[in-house]
Amino acid sequence: GENVEQHPSTLSVQEGDSAVIKCTYSDSASNYFPWYKQELGKGPQLIIDIRSNVGEKKDQRIAVTLNKTAKHFSLHITETQPEDSAVYFCAASNILTGGGNKLTFGTGTQLKVEL
Amino acid sequence: GAVVSQHPSWVICKSGTSVKIECRSLDFQATTMFWYRQFPKQSLMLMATSNEGSKATYEQGVEKDKFLINHASLTLSTLTVTSAHPEDSSFYICSASTVAGWTGELFFGEGSRLTVL
């Protein structure tokens, strides 16, 4: 099965700095890579995703890059703000034809943005 | 985005009792729902995949008689923790895939925190 590793487990940055979280996956058949933000006591919220036919995707201050050859993908947050503080999870899956998206999650990164 | 609602958001029960958690897709139909379990400061672990109108598929190590899953309609899946014990205390989260225009995105509920005394 798929195995997703995520680093670092904790990340502390100053407000306005950039934050980078990295993940590696094991199954070359995986073709969908979402990133989720989870605030304390809440469910995960999708912040950005990327598919295997794309190398990079950007949405305002958030970007994700994918290297299929190396089987790793990264989340980049620029101009960090205190409200970016949360736990971030990467995930990987092989989207099945006709539906069903069984995600394997990384271990999470606690991001703290300090004033 | 689409909304997935879980109820209750938190529940406390006595050891030996059963607890039911509901997961509803409010503005879309979901052929597939997933149930996860999350311990404090840990990742989400998939427990089972629930397909409307059929039996759930459980992940290895998850007791199907302990965690009963029912997906009776395209908008509702339920997880029942039977004969709950303190070690079942956890944060349970569901997610759902849309039927029409499915893009691969999963929508997550807000989670249900179970505490077994």
Side-chain angles (χ1 to χ4, degrees):
Chain A
E2 175 67 281
N3 182 50
V4 178
E5 295 188 356
Q6 183 172 345
H7 299 280
S9 57
T10 59
L11 179 59
S12 184
V13 299
Q14 294 293 315
E15 183 180 10
D17 288 350
S18 296
V20 180
I21 303 171
K22 299 182 179 181
C23 288
T24 59
Y25 61 99
S26 61
D27 188 350
S28 57
S30 290
N31 55 21
Y32 178 66
F33 308 92
W35 285 88
Y36 291 90
K37 176 183 181 182
Q38 186 178 28
E39 296 179 342
L40 190 62
K42 296 187 177 181
Q45 283 192 311
L46 179 71
I47 56 172
I48 196 167
D49 58 10
I50 192 168
R51 296 170 190 272
S52 58
N53 59 346
V54 176
E56 184 174 358
K57 184 176 179 181
K58 189 174 181 180
D59 183 4
Q60 299 183 333
R61 297 187 296 110
I62 296 172
V64 57
T65 58
L66 171 65
N67 183 327
K68 285 190 298 181
T69 304
K71 294 210 266 300
H72 67 70
F73 56 113
S74 300
L75 176 71
H76 304 253
I77 305 174
T78 59
E79 300 173 29
T80 54
Q81 301 167 2
E83 51 265 38
D84 293 329
S85 297
V87 178
Y88 291 81
F89 290 98
C90 63
S93 71
N94 180 0
I95 296 178
L96 303 173
T97 301
N101 190 355
K102 185 176 172 180
L103 291 173
T104 299
F105 283 86
T107 48
T109 296
Q110 175 73 61
L111 173 64
K112 183 177 181 181
V113 180
E114 298 177 333
L115 296 172
Chain B
V3 179
V4 175
S5 174
Q6 274 186 249
H7 179 81
S9 55
W10 60 269
V11 57
I12 301 173
C13 70
K14 293 182 178 180
S15 185
T17 60
S18 294
V19 174
K20 180 184 285 187
I21 300 170
E22 293 185 346
C23 178
R24 295 181 183 271
S25 54
L26 297 186
D27 52 1
F28 68 100
Q29 293 183 321
T31 53
T32 305
M33 289 185 174
F34 301 88
W35 286 95
Y36 301 83
R37 183 173 182 177
Q38 186 179 34
F39 291 107
K41 297 187 177 182
Q42 293 191 21
S43 188
L44 285 78
M45 299 302 296
L46 181 65
M47 299 174 66
T49 303
S50 166
N51 291 297
E52 185 265 339
S54 63
K55 291 183 179 180
T57 302
Y58 291 81
E59 295 299 301
Q60 191 173 9
V62 178
E63 300 175 58
K64 61 181 180 181
D65 295 329
K66 172 79 172 171
F67 300 99
L68 300 179
I69 291 173
N70 183 277
H71 193 159
S73 76
L74 285 172
T75 59
L76 174 64
S77 177
T78 60
L79 167 68
T80 301
V81 183
T82 62
S83 187
H85 292 285
E87 56 265 30
D88 298 324
S89 299
S90 188
F91 194 49
Y92 293 89
I93 308 171
C94 70
S95 67
S97 288
T98 60
V99 174
W102 185 74
T103 62
E105 181 175 350
L106 280 182
F107 302 97
F108 282 82
E110 286 296 301
S112 299
R113 182 162 302 284
L114 170 64
T115 301
V116 184
L117 302 177

